[in-house]
Amino acid sequence: MRSAYGEALVDLGTENKNIVCVGGDTTDSLKTKKFGEKFPDRLFNVGIAEANLVSIAAGLAIAGKISFASTYAAFIPGRCLDQIRNAICYPKLNVKIVVSHAGLSVGPDGASHQQIEDISIMRSLPNMNVLIPSDALSVKKLLQKAVKTSGPFYMRLARPSTEEIYGSNPETNFDIGVGNILVDGSDISIIACGTMVATSLKASNILKTEYGISCRVVDMYSIKPIDSDLVCKCAKETRGILTVEEHNIIGGLGSAVSEVTAEMYPTIVKKLGVRDKFGESARDEEIDTLLDNYGLSPREIVKNALALIKSEKR
């Protein structure tokens, strides 16, 4: 995802000279260094000063630029919510916040850097759009949409390499406020975002091959605005919804889906994610075990899907 971001930023910057990028000593890790190498007068590395980073991005947007602000998710929004709220969202400036190292899969950096509250924070801000791509192609496609759409955006990327979801179908459409059905099914719906989309596809395959359960898998890459029509379609056509996210279950994707169903078409919604606790350190080779411990493995999704179907029958 990070490499795709760096490549897309160069391509977009070549097409539009008003695109600038502000970073905070993570330009190597975020791959925005590539943009700076091609456009040295349009990349601003402000060091470890995230509140200043966001404020500078806002100032550039006021001057007519399309500003990208990038560092780790633990630092944006972690250290500068006030600036994001008042300097970007309140005046509805054209700032695109793209962060990486979100969720538990940061691994060795431990709980202090495992950002699991950001979706909730950013989703609650007026005027802010929230996007969570699931693979490299969706990063590039969604960045193109974000650049063409005026106003604040928050895009959340993961640290580890991710599996291809759309690699064999590069013509897939990505619109703001829409989700994609990757696998159709009639028994249960799994609505996932980010790294959990690939995990949910594996769970769907297990449910089909081992239990004969027809499972719909939705990539809900647009968290805000959310695809209310698709959520209602899942509520109407399947016997329950599982939401899966590498984030606290409070305020994230599961909450957004529950808000739609509660108001428009009530159904059972089971939220899978971090259950209101902090993460733990794990070596890179232990990340799968860490995710399993937090209920975010294919087998844990399968277990919860079976339990949901069983409870629905009663």
Side-chain angles (χ1 to χ4, degrees):
M1 287 189 188
R2 289 177 288 148
S3 295
Y5 172 43
E7 293 165 6
L9 199 55
V10 170
D11 292 342
L12 292 167
T14 302
E15 296 171 4
N16 190 332
K17 65 181 181 180
N18 283 321
I19 289 177
V20 296
C21 184
V22 189
D25 261 6
T26 53
T27 54
D28 264 337
S29 185
L30 269 289
K31 313 300 182 183
T32 54
K33 186 178 179 180
K34 298 177 182 178
F35 181 83
E37 289 170 348
K38 184 157 187 178
F39 309 108
D41 58 337
R42 289 156 61 185
L43 175 67
F44 307 93
N45 187 343
V46 303
I48 305 173
E50 287 77 14
N52 194 33
L53 188 163
V54 168
S55 298
I56 290 171
L60 288 164
I62 291 172
K65 305 299 183 182
I66 301 174
S67 297
F68 280 81
S70 291
T71 187
Y72 295 163
F75 306 145
I76 297 181
R79 291 178 171 173
C80 46
L81 178 59
D82 178 57
Q83 287 75 18
I84 295 170
R85 179 186 186 274
N86 291 310
I88 294 176
C89 290
Y90 185 64
K92 201 176 181 179
L93 295 183
N94 205 14
V95 178
K96 320 303 178 185
I97 300 171
V98 182
V99 302
S100 76
H101 290 55
L104 296 172
S105 54
V106 179
D109 290 343
S112 64
H113 283 54
Q114 292 168 345
Q115 175 57 274
I116 54 172
E117 308 91 34
D118 55 322
I119 301 174
S120 175
I121 295 167
M122 303 308 282
R123 193 170 73 88
S124 68
L125 292 173
N127 296 326
M128 180 63 78
N129 299 278
V130 180
L131 304 176
I132 307 181
S134 59
D135 71 352
L137 181 66
S138 59
V139 170
K140 293 182 176 181
K141 295 276 190 176
L142 289 171
L143 282 171
Q144 292 169 1
K145 294 288 184 179
V147 164
K148 293 176 181 177
T149 307
S150 181
F153 275 80
Y154 179 78
M155 181 180 286
R156 180 192 214 239
L157 310 180
R159 172 179 176 263
S161 296
T162 51
E163 299 179 31
E164 285 189 352
I165 304 296
Y166 297 97
S168 61
N169 190 15
E171 300 305 314
T172 303
N173 195 34
F174 292 88
D175 286 323
I176 309 302
V178 177
N180 286 330
I181 297 177
L182 302 178
V183 177
D184 211 352
S186 56
D187 289 328
I188 192 170
S189 294
I190 299 177
I191 300 179
C193 63
T195 58
M196 290 295 105
V197 173
T199 304
S200 297
L201 286 170
K202 293 174 184 175
S204 172
N205 187 57
I206 295 171
L207 286 165
K208 180 180 179 181
T209 57
E210 296 187 17
Y211 299 96
I213 291 173
S214 176
C215 179
R216 175 178 293 169
V217 179
V218 173
D219 177 7
M220 193 62 77
Y221 57 81
S222 182
I223 306 296
K224 182 188 176 186
I226 197 166
D227 191 342
S228 298
D229 290 341
L230 181 52
V231 171
C232 288
K233 177 181 173 69
C234 292
K236 293 174 183 177
E237 296 179 354
T238 63
R239 289 149 57 183
I241 296 173
L242 273 179
T243 62
V244 192
E245 58 193 312
E246 202 178 334
H247 184 271
N248 196 335
I249 59 168
I250 298 173
L253 169 65
S255 294
V257 169
S258 297
E259 288 161 14
V260 174
T261 58
E263 188 169 314
M264 301 178 70
Y265 199 93
T267 191
I268 298 173
V269 178
K270 172 67 174 177
K271 299 190 289 287
L272 300 186
V274 182
R275 305 196 70 81
D276 197 23
K277 60 175 72 173
F278 286 103
E280 301 172 6
S281 293
R283 293 189 295 269
D284 284 333
E285 62 270 20
E286 298 172 332
I287 289 176
D288 285 344
T289 301
L290 175 66
L291 292 171
D292 186 44
N293 291 341
Y294 280 78
L296 293 172
S297 65
R299 285 290 175 183
E300 282 295 314
I301 296 172
V302 167
K303 181 177 76 174
N304 280 275
L306 294 173
L308 190 154
I309 289 174
K310 183 179 179 181
S311 67
E312 194 273 340
K313 288 180 178 178
R314 294 167 64 180

